[in-house]
Amino acid sequence: MARAAAPVPPPAPPRTEPTAEQVLGLLDRAQALARRAMDSGHHPFGALLVASDHTTVLMEQGNVDSVNHAEAVLARDAARRYSPAELWPCTLVTTVEPCAMCAGTQYWANIGRVVFGIEEKVLLSLTGGNPENPTLDLPCRHVFARGQKDVRVIGPVAAAAEAITALHRRYWRSM
């Protein structure tokens, strides 16, 4: 007896790219979240999960501590709340390039794009040898390139760099 072929799901809608104006607006919102995290006594990092319309913010997360980075916590929570198919057209927006841990968590959560303001190597120049932020010199593009998914990367965004670096400079110099 022949088995019927499984139905083929419809193709996913094509991913669109955010405009430069949308990118800057979202980075401003992530920067405000990083400021709130800093004002609450945490490292100044913030992350947003943005829907495929590049406008709707689905989730926000400030930094928790040196192990529970805003991006990784957000990606894990998003993976519990949404299906991989729902997350693929979404964007993780963060002021600083995701570290290897955060990029890996984003990859496994199936979030299909990241937007960041400054590179991690710029953060290293601001934090120096601070033991609370032992920065890895491993760009997120390199992490994603080793995977099987087309995770898109937008960043660094020069127009957002001055405000982001000023906040981090202020925070890390006060430590």
Side-chain angles (χ1 to χ4, degrees), residues 5-31:
V8 176
R15 290 187 289 170
T16 62
E17 297 300 320
T19 66
E21 183 178 297
Q22 287 171 320
V23 165
L24 288 175
L26 292 167
L27 282 170
D28 284 346
R29 187 159 174 180
Q31 175 75 346

Side-chain angles (χ1 to χ4, degrees), residues 47-49 59-61 70-78 92 111:
L48 312 170
L49 179 67
M59 299 174 69
E60 293 184 340
Q61 179 65 52
E71 302 86 351
V73 171
L74 181 137
R76 283 190 295 271
D77 288 349
L92 188 151
I111 301 169

Side-chain angles (χ1 to χ4, degrees), residues 27 93-97 115-119 154-161 164:
L27 282 170
V93 178
T94 183
T95 52
V96 178
E97 179 177 17
V115 168
F116 65 87
I118 64 170
E119 294 174 297
I154 298 172
V157 178
I164 294 167

Side-chain angles (χ1 to χ4, degrees), residues 60-81:
E60 293 184 340
Q61 179 65 52
N63 206 64
V64 178
D65 56 38
S66 293
V67 174
N68 294 291
H69 298 178
E71 302 86 351
V73 171
L74 181 137
R76 283 190 295 271
D77 288 349
R80 282 190 285 276
R81 188 177 296 180

Side-chain angles (χ1 to χ4, degrees), residues 27-67:
L27 282 170
D28 284 346
R29 187 159 174 180
Q31 175 75 346
L33 186 57
R35 245 185 261 104
R36 286 197 305 273
M38 184 180 79
D39 292 344
S40 297
H42 302 284
H43 298 162
F45 299 95
L48 312 170
L49 179 67
V50 181
S52 61
D53 65 3
H54 311 300
T55 303
T56 305
V57 175
L58 302 172
M59 299 174 69
E60 293 184 340
Q61 179 65 52
N63 206 64
V64 178
D65 56 38
S66 293
V67 174

Side-chain angles (χ1 to χ4, degrees), residues 133-145:
N133 197 60
T135 304
L136 290 168
D137 185 15
L138 182 59
C140 69
R141 280 181 173 82
H142 293 210
V143 174
F144 297 138

Side-chain angles (χ1 to χ4, degrees), residues 116-136:
F116 65 87
I118 64 170
E119 294 174 297
E120 193 168 16
K121 67 182 177 182
V122 172
L123 178 65
L124 176 60
S125 74
L126 300 169
T127 62
N130 191 308
E132 288 193 30
N133 197 60
T135 304
L136 290 168

